Amino acid sequence: MLVVASHRELRRRLFDVLDREDHDRILSARDAAHAAILLAGRGPVSLVVLAFEGDGRASRACCEQLRAMESCRAAPMLAVFAPDCKTGPALLPESVADWLDSTNIERDLVARWRRVLTRQPASGPSAVGPLRPAPEETLAYRFAFDDEDGDAEWMIVDPAGDRVLDLNAALLRHSQLAVTDLLGKPLAQLLAFEGVELEQVLGEADRHWYPCQRRTRHGTDTGLANARRVRHRGRDAVAIAFRSDRAETRGEAALALLSRIVQSGGGVDPHASTARLLVDELSLDYLALWSARPEDSATPMRLLQHWEGEDLPWPSPQEQVSLRRVLGGKSMFHVEDGRRLAEYDPLLQSLQLEGFAGLPLLDERRSVIGALLVGRRRGLGRAEIVEPVLHCAAARFAQSIELVRTREQGRAEGLLDALTGLPNRLLFNDRLETILREAHRTGECFAVLFLDLDNFKGINDTLGHAAGDQVLRVVTQRLCSSIRASDTVARYAGDEFTVVLRHIIKSDDVLRVAEKIVQVMEAPLHLDGGEELQVTASIGVSFFPDDASDADTLLRHADEAMYAAKHLGRNNFQIYEMSQDQAQQQDVALISRLRHAERNGELRVFYQPQVDAGTEDIVGMEALVRWEHPELGGISPGVFIPLAEESGLIVSIGEWVLRTACAQAHAWERAYGLRLRLGVNLSAVQLMERNLLEVVAGVLGETGLDPELLELEVTESISIKEVPNLVENLEGLHELGCRIAIDDFGTGAASLDYLRRLPADRIKIDQSFVRNIGIDPDDEAIVRATIEMAHRLKRGVVAEGVEIEQHFEFLRANQCDELQGYLFCRPLPQSSFERLLAERQRLVESGGVVAA
C-alpha cells in the first residue's frame, strides 16, 4: 500500500489506521517524487491513499504522476480531503475510486478500502475508471453523510418513504437487524417520529432534527433524525440520518475507545491525541485540561481547551467554582442535570451544558495534579459506560503530566539525557534490571532493541553538531511515537538508542514494531536551516528468555544483531540468532529429553489457588505444568511449551496434565468436601485436535470429576480464524458441562470478538495490568473498565498477578470476583497444596477465620 500526504500528522494517521489491519508493507511518502524513490524495484501497489490539500491543484498533479508509474497504474485510489482542502468531490480526477474527509479516517478508511476492493475487477488497468461513482448521481448523497457525527446511521428512501433503498454499516451494527429486515421495507417500520408526521419530515426535508425512535432487534432506541433531498442512481430520493442517544456510549464502542486511549499519547504532544479521541468519540462540546501543583498554591495552568461554540469571555480559574472543586479532589458527574451547576459557576452558566463531568487528575501518591472538565449540550449518555471511559482518559492525562514533571526532576538528578529528555544509560540499565527481576518472577517475555543511526558521523562532520543535535531530537520524537506507554526508550550513547518492549505475547508483535520504527525513520527530516535529510537506522533485537536471562547478555546480543543489520545494507532490523548448528542442537536435545520427561517423572503439576475477593476463601485452583530437568534444573514453561507445541508433544503432555489434575481435584473433593473449580490450559495445538471432546469426556469419566468443576482456559492470543474447529470444540466442551475461561484477557487484539463468539463463562485479567495497579493509572482504568464491562455481559472475572495489598484493595473495591497471585499463594506442588487445604479444614473446624 502507498500513502501520500505532505502533512506529516495526516500521513501518520493514515499509516496507523492501515497498519492496524496487519498489512505486510505500507509505504509512506510526502509527494510523488518521494513515492517514486520508495517504489523503485517494487511490484504493483494494492492501494493508493492520496491526500488532497489546499486548492487541490498540486494533489491532482500528484495523482497524474502516480498513475504514470508502473507500480500504481492499476491500483485503486482513495482520496482523503485534508483539513485545509478547498476543493470538493466533484473536482476529483476520474481515476479516483472513492473519497472521505480527514475527520473520518479512523472510522471510514478501512471500510472504504474494502468497498473499493470488492468493486475492483480481477486485473487490468481498465479497473481504474469505472470504480468512481458518477458525480451527478452518487456523490451528492455520499457527501451529505461525511459531515455527520462519527457514529451516525443513515439510509436512503424513496420520496414517499415506501422503500428503504440504501443504508450504511453503522445502522446495521447498532440496530442489530439484518439487511433483509431493512432494504425494500417502508421507512415507518424502522423509524417512528414524535410530534410530527412522517409525510411532513419527508416533504420538507429541511435537515431539521426531530425526536424519534429507531427499531432494533430487541426493541427501540431513542434519538434524533433529519432528512434532506439527494440523488440516488439518477432519481430523486431522501436521505435520513439518525443519531442515537446512545450511539456514542455503547459498550462495544466504549471498550474500543478505552483501548485507543491507552495507546494514545505516546508522541510529542500526549495531551492532544487523547483529547481529540474524547471530543470525537463522545461528541463533546467542551473539554478543558488543567495542570496544578499540590505543593504550592499557584494559579492552575490550562493545558488545552476545546469549545464547539461562539467565543466567550472565559472566567479566571478562581471564578470557576467547578474547577476549584475538582482541583480540591472532588469528582463531579452530572449526566443530564448539568444546568443546575450554572447557579454558582459563571463558566457553566455561559456554556449551558446539559451533561457535565469533572475529574481530578491524580499522581501515584493520589495527590491532585490537575483536572479534566468535559461537557455536552445534551446529556452525556449512560453513566455506567461513559464514566469508565472518562476515568481512563483522566488517568492517561495524569500519567502524561506526571511524566513531564518526572523528566524535569530526572534532568536535575542526572538520570535523563539533557538533549533528548530520555533516560540515559544509567537509568536504562537500572530499569532493565528491574524488568528482569519481575520477568524471572512472573514469567513475562520481553524484547530489547538496540538502534544505531546510519552514517550519523557524516551529519556532524558536514553540517555541524547543532544539526546533529536536531536530528537526535527528531529521532527521539519518532521513536516515542512508535512504542506504547508501558515500553521504555533511552539514549544509550551518542547516536545509539535502546528500547524495551514489555508484555510480549508473540514475537511477531515485536517485529511489527521494529519494522514500523525503520519506516518512520525513513521519512525526510527538515533542519532549521532548510536542509532536507533522510536519516535511517539499523536495529538489532533480542528476546528474554529465549536469547539470554541477564541484562548484559541481552544487550550484547541485541548489539550483535544491530551490526548484522548494518552488514546487510543498513536501514533494516535483524533478530539475534545463535549459530544454526548450536540452536538446532539445543532444540533437538531438549525435545528429545522432553519426549521422555513424562515417563521419567520429570513433569509436575503445580496448583495455584484462586480466592473469593469478598471472603478470601479458596474457591478454585489453576493447574500449571512444570519441568524439572535432571541436569539443567527447572526449565521455564516459556521455553519448553513452544518446543512441545512445535513437536506435537503438547497433545500428550496436555492430556497427561488434564488427567493428573482432574484425578487430584476429585480426590481433594472427596477428602475435604470442597467443590473447587479446576482451571486447565488448552494450547492452540490441542484445540485443533478433532478428538478433543472425546479426550476430555474420557478423562472426566475415568477420574469421576464433575464436569461443572472443570474450567478450560483459552489464551486470548489464539486466533479464531487461524485455529480450525476452535468455536466448535469450545461449544462442544460447554455442552459437556465444562466451563470456558479466556486467559490473559486484554493483551490480544480480539477481546470483543472472543466475548462475542466464544461460550466464555469467565475472563482472567492479565497480570501485566494487575501488577501496575498503584503505578500506572492507565492500567488501573483498564482493569476497572474490564470488570464493569464483563459484569454487564454476565461474565465472571478473575484477576491474575495479585502481589500486594494495594492490588487486593483496588480489585475488591472494584467488585472483581476472584483473585489469584503471590499475595495469597504461589503455585504449589500437590503435597504442599494438600497441606494448605488441610490447614483450611482445621481453621473451619476450630471456628477460626478462613484465609487463603
Side-chain angles (χ1 to χ4, degrees), residues 614-626:
T615 65
E616 300 182 51
D617 195 9
I618 302 174
V619 293
M621 55 192 166
E622 181 179 4
L624 303 164
V625 64
R626 296 289 186 263

Side-chain angles (χ1 to χ4, degrees), residues 545-567:
D546 295 0
D547 296 328
S549 57
D550 64 278
D552 290 341
T553 309
L554 276 171
L555 280 169
R556 186 174 71 252
H557 287 342
D559 187 43
E560 292 172 7
M562 182 269 293
Y563 278 106
K566 286 192 177 293
H567 292 320

